[in-house]
Amino acid sequence: AQTVTQSQPEMSVQEAETVTLSCTYDTSENNYYLFWYKQPPSRQMILVIRQEAYKQQNATENRFSVNFQKAAKSFSLKISDSQLGDTAMYFCAFMKPVANAGNMLTFGGGTRLMVKP
Amino acid sequence: EPEVTQTPSHQVTQMGQEVILRCVPISNHLYFYWYRQILGQKVEFLVSFYNNEISEKSEIFDDQFSVERPDGSNFTLKIRSTKLEDSAMYFCASSGDPFSVLHFGNGTRLTVT
């Protein structure tokens, strides 16, 4: 079974600064996907970024980028130029696709990020 | 952009009552899921549904839970006899194939009193 660990329960950052959220995972699989989801106070689950394990290039999405270290099983999220709207809970998630079953996500415990003005 | 819709947004029920949570997945998606998030805790997988049957389920998904796709558009989660510990946010999700992103609904907050 896969496990996902987020070692930072809470973090804060000043507006316009950069912050990095950590995530490690444990798996024996070679092909999988990793995600960061954002959950604002409304409790929606919003996809931030996705990384395929077979791709060496780190994914980027505007101000969001990841540092994917497959050998170390590490998947950190960097938020540049932090904005007040980035205040949310951030969940790291692991996915191993299974044909005819779907793509179940295993989530980490989350990091609560507060962006301060 | 198509989205997953869940109703109701908040459901309050008494312990021991049956409750049905409803979801309308994205119309061309084939895989459907329910996840649960107890307040302050991580999001947990409950069940996946493909080809009109359960394809995977977690230990949480015991005999008190059932899922159904009654009419080709709705996807429901039934809890037969609710317990206090069933109080949580329940998220429905759908995907087009095993390799694509899950699209989540906005969730139903279930409160069992």
Side-chain angles (χ1 to χ4, degrees):
Chain A
Q2 287 70 230
T3 59
V4 179
T5 302
Q6 294 178 247
S7 59
Q8 306 148 315
E10 292 187 1
M11 293 193 72
S12 63
V13 63
Q14 291 296 131
E15 196 175 7
E17 297 293 306
T18 294
V19 65
T20 298
L21 309 184
S22 301
C23 173
T24 58
Y25 58 94
D26 187 24
T27 185
S28 57
E29 302 289 344
N30 191 46
N31 295 318
Y32 50 87
Y33 297 75
L34 296 163
F35 302 86
W36 279 96
Y37 279 89
K38 170 185 176 181
Q39 187 179 46
S42 64
R43 298 190 76 183
Q44 288 177 272
M45 294 292 288
I46 301 167
L47 177 68
V48 175
I49 200 164
R50 155 187 164 135
Q51 174 79 44
E52 293 89 342
Y54 62 85
K55 288 187 178 179
Q56 291 187 334
Q57 187 172 6
N58 289 323
T60 62
E61 195 71 42
N62 301 315
R63 298 183 294 108
F64 299 88
S65 61
V66 298
N67 183 4
F68 173 49
Q69 302 288 328
K70 190 173 183 180
K73 296 179 182 172
S74 169
F75 182 62
S76 60
L77 174 70
K78 185 171 83 171
I79 307 174
S80 305
D81 185 26
S82 296
Q83 300 175 358
L84 296 179
D86 295 334
T87 292
M89 195 77 164
Y90 287 82
F91 290 98
C92 178
F94 173 101
M95 183 186 91
K96 169 63 181 174
V98 178
N100 298 329
N103 36 7
M104 283 70 71
L105 294 169
T106 300
F107 285 88
T111 295
R112 186 176 305 280
L113 177 67
M114 171 77 72
V115 180
K116 298 179 179 178
Chain B
E1 185 178 329
E3 55 183 32
V4 177
T5 57
Q6 290 185 244
T7 55
S9 57
H10 190 190
Q11 173 94 42
V12 181
T13 190
Q14 288 190 327
M15 192 167 55
Q17 295 295 304
E18 175 184 284
V19 65
I20 297 175
L21 310 183
R22 302 181 191 280
C23 169
V24 179
I26 294 173
S27 62
N28 62 348
H29 282 184
L30 301 176
Y31 297 85
F32 314 110
Y33 314 85
W34 284 100
Y35 285 79
R36 180 182 83 175
Q37 185 184 29
I38 295 171
L39 186 62
Q41 298 187 21
K42 69 171 70 175
V43 180
E44 301 172 293
F45 168 74
L46 288 178
V47 66
S48 63
F49 191 87
Y50 170 71
N51 201 26
N52 287 320
E53 61 183 17
I54 291 173
S55 47
E56 294 283 343
K57 61 182 181 179
S58 71
E59 293 175 352
I60 303 168
F61 194 87
D62 62 22
D63 292 344
Q64 292 297 312
F65 292 90
S66 63
V67 290
E68 197 176 34
R69 188 157 160 81
D71 57 11
S73 62
N74 290 286
F75 180 52
T76 62
L77 174 69
K78 182 192 292 186
I79 309 175
R80 186 174 308 124
S81 177
T82 50
K83 302 187 278 273
L84 293 176
E85 54 265 38
D86 293 327
S87 293
M89 195 78 161
Y90 288 81
F91 291 101
C92 174
S94 68
S95 66
D97 61 61
F99 305 95
S100 60
V101 170
L102 265 67
H103 295 257
F104 282 88
N106 288 346
T108 293
R109 184 190 301 268
L110 177 65
T111 303
V112 182
T113 62

